[in-house]
Amino acid sequence: MSEALSSAPTPRKRNDRYEEAAVQAGRTGGKALAAKGSKLRTKRAQATLKEVAELAGVSQMTVSRALNAPEMVRKPTRERIQRAVEELNYRPNLMARSLAAGRSLFIGVGYNNPSSAYLSELLLGALRTCRSAGHHLVVEELPESAVGDPEALAGKLRDSGLDGLILAPPLSENAEVAAAVSGIGIPVVLLSPGEGTSTAMRIGIDDERAALLMTRHLIGLGHRRIAFIAGPEGDFQSAERRRGFERALDEANLPTDQALIAGGAYTYRSGMDAAASILSAAAPPTAIFAANDDMAAGAVAEAHRRGLRVPEQLSVAGFDDTSLASTIWPSLTTVHQPIAEMASRAVLLLGDAGSQSDAAYQLDVEIIERESVAPPPQEV
Amino acid sequence: MSEALSSAPTPRKRNDRYEEAAVQAGRTGGKALAAKGSKLRTKRAQATLKEVAELAGVSQMTVSRALNAPEMVRKPTRERIQRAVEELNYRPNLMARSLAAGRSLFIGVGYNNPSSAYLSELLLGALRTCRSAGHHLVVEELPESAVGDPEALAGKLRDSGLDGLILAPPLSENAEVAAAVSGIGIPVVLLSPGEGTSTAMRIGIDDERAALLMTRHLIGLGHRRIAFIAGPEGDFQSAERRRGFERALDEANLPTDQALIAGGAYTYRSGMDAAASILSAAAPPTAIFAANDDMAAGAVAEAHRRGLRVPEQLSVAGFDDTSLASTIWPSLTTVHQPIAEMASRAVLLLGDAGSQSDAAYQLDVEIIERESVAPPPQEV
DNA sequence: CTTGGAAGTGGTAGCGCTAACACAAAACGA
DNA sequence: TCGTTTTGTGTTAGCGCTACCACTTCCAAG
């Protein structure tokens, strides 16, 4: 894997006409020497603290303080430094800072097999915050085999030299894994955790409330017969979402028709099957709310197969706002989780020595209205 | 954004019973002192080079060499060091190494609006290689507005202090952007670039060949009337893919029926429309090959809507292997690009001072056989 | 006036590692 | 035998930054 380049399929030059230009352009834009150039490129003539200090006529320490704790430096000094910083286009060297301060963390992101949409948002959010907080992100794929043996997993993580760990779902829902991992002596944040009882920090959303909100939205539009496609039996999140759904129905004094509740497995296909069963009911619904987007998309497919137009004849709502939701036609009205922000929080939490190891945060969700939901057809 | 934590929705403790356990567990697993613990956590009693050197009875330098250039150290010495390393569970401090060697790069990943599947694979590949090469990844979202003004974009990147830049599609297909960016004086790698002529390194796949392979696969299965759903007019990749498709047809002495070639816009909906037009042809095809997965999925939807079973009555093939391909039912047979490896290569390329600034690599693709393709129905 | 203590600033000593050279010991040809 | 290389290892000097303590003012309290 790391020797990838050497075992490469023959690299083929597509254009030859750039040969000269390339050499001429050089890399640092200056000094045309040292074709071997092992070093030039990294020395991008970055201004250092020292230079800024000299230009501003103060000591390095003062500059450092002006940057890290501005309130400790008198205003005129601070402004002088500020000007020097701008003039030299100074940017602190994060590595040196980390090294000297000894305050930067290596944070692992343990993931298993999340949707790629989830993962990319997660990484983006974490990466951004790591950068600004001076931490470093280490991705750590934890395959099924590792999950099967929590002991080994903990051992592996223990000597990976990490200072903190973020566990993404579905890993974070696994109580065994959570327990094993929280025993390694480094702070752990569980994202969208299951109901486990490990001593780890938790960041998630209020699934019940999110489902309640979406169902209310549907009811507000005029729907009275609403079906729900649940996730697998025993799944914590699915149960929460279902609870929210039922509570909204109760609130509106609508009956809960068991024929309109079907179980799925979070997959597209299971959504199709569940929708098939629901749509075959004696009194079919005008809206279907699925516990995730994949099943919602499956429900749309099944509706189409039966010649039902979405959303004119049937509304379909999803949950998660995966890329699928905005890809298909009609695009799905769904519940969006602030994944990037959750990741960002997780990083901050790990970096904050003061955080309680049993803290739990719930972030707000957002209902994304797209094309798959509309008022029910007029029965008149 | 960075003050996220302070403006958080009220954190709610979910369990109180861990209060004690949390305190007791501590963070470093040892020394129960300093509850204020501002520092403890980062000083994970990591062994240093010095300690290893002492234990092994050699100088720090020798240990450093044993780690970075083993062939320079005599075998017995090396083994002694190796043992010390293991005993102390020593792991080099990457930050110190980077700082001292001055060899580590800050590499930016410029992206615009790629599919999240693409992005997450990209980030994963890049992150991994960055870690092992000691580089640092900086994600840089470049919104439409920035792309509209390549000058400003170049300026922004110029003083972002990056040492290298990786541009993901669709950004890398934009000739203006590529040109502007390659003028900033840092090495740039374009992923799946368009046909632009900027002096940047390029990593991609051979789109024509990939399409050729997939079409051959279809022909090999017995299909004789194969339709193609192209991307937008003028799109470089789409044109390449179409060329590959047509070449495979030629090879097999099959006619190219213009009624079986439709243009799309890379969207699900456009795939449905294109499929509708294709399936309405006087002599409909037994297989449809779409230039991307979204359109292929749209084609499947349209087929279903018309009551055609996939793949029994109609085969559908995609391109890109996005998450959509494995989500929908039936899952799509498609062309997989080694995105993580492309990213990994890109990082390596940027880190290798010897690489030509006009190098171009083409990686091999893989045909992923799933459920949407089968031999054509028997006409007997 | 002292004295004490902020508030603002500077000096020094590293953080953990590697580049560059210095040097000793072994290996070589003449 | 004596250079002369080669090979393996040690020494020194930082990389760019911050912790920590020392110092200078300046002002209020005694």
Side-chain angles (χ1 to χ4, degrees):
Chain A
M1 198 63 184
S2 54
E3 285 76 28
L5 269 181
S6 54
S7 66
T10 18
R12 317 179 201 163
K13 293 238 173 73
R14 275 171 174 165
N15 325 286
D16 281 348
R17 73 187 117 140
Y18 294 106
E19 209 77 79
E20 292 172 13
V23 171
Q24 196 180 342
R27 215 153 245 124
T28 41
K31 323 238 169 184
L33 57 102
K36 295 183 63 179
S38 71
K39 182 152 205 186
L40 272 183
R41 61 144 38 136
T42 143
K43 300 270 150 279
R44 308 215 321 98
Q46 257 301 3
T48 71
L49 204 66
K50 197 169 157 194
E51 301 175 64
V52 176
E54 276 162 12
L55 185 66
V58 294
S59 79
Q60 294 190 32
M61 236 5 261
T62 306
V63 178
S64 173
R65 273 192 280 256
L67 263 33
N68 298 307
E71 72 283 359
M72 290 185 63
V73 177
R74 234 188 327 172
K75 203 161 166 214
T77 319
R78 207 191 312 153
E79 281 167 355
R80 204 142 35 89
I81 292 174
Q82 186 51 38
R83 247 174 289 127
V85 164
E86 274 159 25
E87 180 164 341
L88 295 174
N89 187 27
Y90 168 78
R91 343 197 77 243
N93 179 320
L94 297 185
M95 261 124 39
R97 189 192 300 234
S98 300
L99 182 59
R103 199 193 297 122
S104 102
L105 270 33
F106 273 81
I107 295 179
V109 172
Y111 67 95
N112 189 353
N113 181 31
S115 89
S116 55
Y118 194 98
L119 190 56
S120 63
E121 259 214 76
L122 171 64
L123 291 177
L124 251 23
L127 235 22
R128 284 236 169 66
T129 308
C130 274
R131 177 162 168 69
S132 66
H135 300 155
H136 301 268
L137 208 64
V138 181
V139 292
E140 204 81 68
E141 176 160 20
L142 305 172
E144 283 303 332
S145 56
V147 175
D149 183 356
E151 286 309 311
L153 191 157
K156 175 184 173 186
L157 290 175
R158 203 192 320 272
D159 46 44
S160 66
L162 262 22
D163 307 292
L165 184 65
I166 299 175
L167 240 39
L171 226 44
S172 56
E173 292 163 13
N174 183 324
E176 277 193 10
V177 170
V181 148
S182 61
I184 39 180
I186 59 174
V188 175
V189 175
L190 264 23
L191 258 26
S192 298
E195 49 187 338
T197 53
S198 64
T199 65
M201 297 180 272
R202 302 154 157 268
I203 298 183
I205 60 164
D206 187 338
D207 283 283
E208 178 176 342
R209 186 174 156 70
L212 176 84
L213 258 26
M214 176 61 92
T215 312
R216 271 190 196 158
H217 174 62
L218 259 15
I219 294 172
L221 248 27
H223 292 279
R224 291 295 170 266
R225 293 191 58 73
I226 306 176
F228 185 75
I229 303 181
E233 199 76 32
D235 180 80
F236 179 68
Q237 320 242 19
S238 168
E240 294 268 297
R241 291 172 190 184
R242 178 167 172 172
R243 191 163 16 254
F245 166 74
E246 290 175 344
R247 227 177 76 202
L249 254 38
D250 279 355
E251 263 182 15
N253 286 318
L254 293 173
T256 308
D257 182 345
Q258 288 305 324
L260 296 188
I261 297 190
Y266 280 149
T267 66
Y268 186 92
R269 184 61 207 271
S270 72
M272 289 182 73
D273 294 343
S277 121
I278 286 169
L279 293 173
S280 303
T286 59
I288 296 181
F289 177 20
N292 81 341
D293 285 340
D294 286 17
M295 294 193 295
V300 168
E302 179 62 24
H304 280 163
R305 197 208 277 264
R306 292 171 172 245
L308 286 171
R309 272 172 297 126
V310 176
E312 293 84 354
Q313 296 170 276
L314 178 73
S315 286
V316 177
F319 203 116
D320 285 344
D321 194 24
T322 61
S323 63
L324 181 65
S326 44
T327 298
I328 65 163
W329 181 87
S331 54
L332 293 176
T333 287
T334 186
V335 175
H336 177 79
Q337 305 190 40
I339 302 167
E341 199 194 335
M342 287 162 61
S344 171
R345 290 275 181 95
V347 170
L348 256 18
L349 229 38
L350 290 175
D352 174 19
S355 53
Q356 302 280 336
S357 72
D358 67 338
Y361 296 85
Q362 288 191 154
L363 270 47
D364 285 336
V365 298
E366 195 182 348
I367 290 192
I368 307 288
E369 294 186 51
R370 294 215 184 82
E371 304 164 343
S372 67
V373 167
Q378 302 297 335
E379 302 211 7
V380 188
Chain B
M1 195 68 184
S2 52
E3 285 75 25
L5 269 180
S6 52
S7 63
T10 15
R12 317 179 200 163
K13 295 238 173 77
R14 275 171 175 166
N15 323 285
D16 280 347
R17 73 188 115 140
Y18 293 105
E19 210 78 76
E20 293 172 11
V23 172
Q24 195 180 343
R27 216 150 246 126
T28 41
K31 324 237 166 185
L33 58 102
K36 295 185 62 180
S38 70
K39 184 151 201 184
L40 271 184
R41 62 147 34 139
T42 142
K43 301 269 152 280
R44 307 216 320 100
Q46 257 300 2
T48 70
L49 203 64
K50 195 170 157 195
E51 300 175 67
V52 176
E54 275 162 13
L55 184 65
V58 294
S59 78
Q60 295 191 33
M61 217 32 240
T62 307
V63 178
S64 173
R65 273 192 281 257
L67 263 32
N68 298 307
E71 72 282 1
M72 290 183 65
V73 177
R74 236 190 326 175
K75 203 160 163 215
T77 318
R78 207 192 314 155
E79 281 167 354
R80 203 141 35 88
I81 292 173
Q82 186 52 36
R83 246 174 290 126
V85 163
E86 274 160 24
E87 180 163 339
L88 295 174
N89 188 26
Y90 168 76
R91 343 197 76 244
N93 179 320
L94 297 185
M95 260 122 42
R97 181 183 292 201
S98 300
L99 183 60
R103 200 195 294 122
S104 101
L105 271 33
F106 273 81
I107 294 179
V109 172
Y111 67 96
N112 190 352
N113 180 31
S115 89
S116 56
Y118 194 99
L119 191 56
S120 63
E121 260 216 72
L122 171 64
L123 290 177
L124 250 24
L127 234 25
R128 283 236 169 66
T129 308
C130 274
R131 176 160 169 72
S132 66
H135 300 154
H136 302 267
L137 209 63
V138 180
V139 292
E140 203 80 69
E141 177 160 20
L142 305 172
E144 284 302 332
S145 57
V147 175
D149 183 357
E151 287 308 311
L153 191 157
K156 175 184 173 185
L157 291 175
R158 205 192 318 273
D159 46 45
S160 66
L162 262 22
D163 307 292
L165 185 64
I166 299 176
L167 240 39
L171 227 47
S172 55
E173 293 164 11
N174 183 323
E176 276 193 10
V177 170
V181 147
S182 62
I184 13 181
I186 60 173
V188 175
V189 175
L190 264 23
L191 257 27
S192 299
E195 50 188 337
T197 52
S198 64
T199 64
M201 297 180 272
R202 302 153 158 270
I203 299 184
I205 59 163
D206 187 337
D207 283 283
E208 178 177 342
R209 185 174 156 71
L212 176 84
L213 257 26
M214 177 60 92
T215 313
R216 272 190 196 156
H217 173 63
L218 259 16
I219 294 172
L221 248 26
H223 292 279
R224 290 296 169 267
R225 295 190 57 73
I226 306 175
F228 185 75
I229 303 182
E233 199 75 32
D235 179 80
F236 180 68
Q237 320 241 20
S238 167
E240 295 267 297
R241 291 173 190 183
R242 176 167 173 172
R243 192 163 16 254
F245 167 74
E246 290 176 343
R247 226 177 78 202
L249 253 40
D250 279 356
E251 263 182 18
N253 286 318
L254 294 173
T256 308
D257 183 344
Q258 289 305 324
L260 296 189
I261 297 190
Y266 280 149
T267 67
Y268 186 91
R269 183 64 207 268
S270 71
M272 290 182 74
D273 294 342
S277 122
I278 287 169
L279 294 174
S280 304
T286 59
I288 296 181
F289 177 19
N292 81 341
D293 284 341
D294 287 15
M295 295 193 295
V300 169
E302 179 61 26
H304 281 163
R305 195 206 278 264
R306 292 173 171 242
L308 287 170
R309 272 173 295 127
V310 176
E312 294 82 354
Q313 295 169 279
L314 177 72
S315 287
V316 177
F319 203 116
D320 286 344
D321 195 22
T322 61
S323 63
L324 181 65
S326 45
T327 298
I328 65 164
W329 181 86
S331 54
L332 295 175
T333 287
T334 186
V335 175
H336 177 78
Q337 303 190 38
I339 301 168
E341 200 195 333
M342 286 162 60
S344 169
R345 291 275 182 94
V347 170
L348 257 18
L349 231 36
L350 290 174
D352 173 18
S355 54
Q356 302 280 336
S357 72
D358 66 338
Y361 296 85
Q362 289 191 155
L363 269 47
D364 286 336
V365 298
E366 194 182 350
I367 290 191
I368 309 288
E369 293 186 51
R370 294 213 183 82
E371 305 164 343
S372 66
V373 166
Q378 302 297 335
E379 302 212 8
V380 188

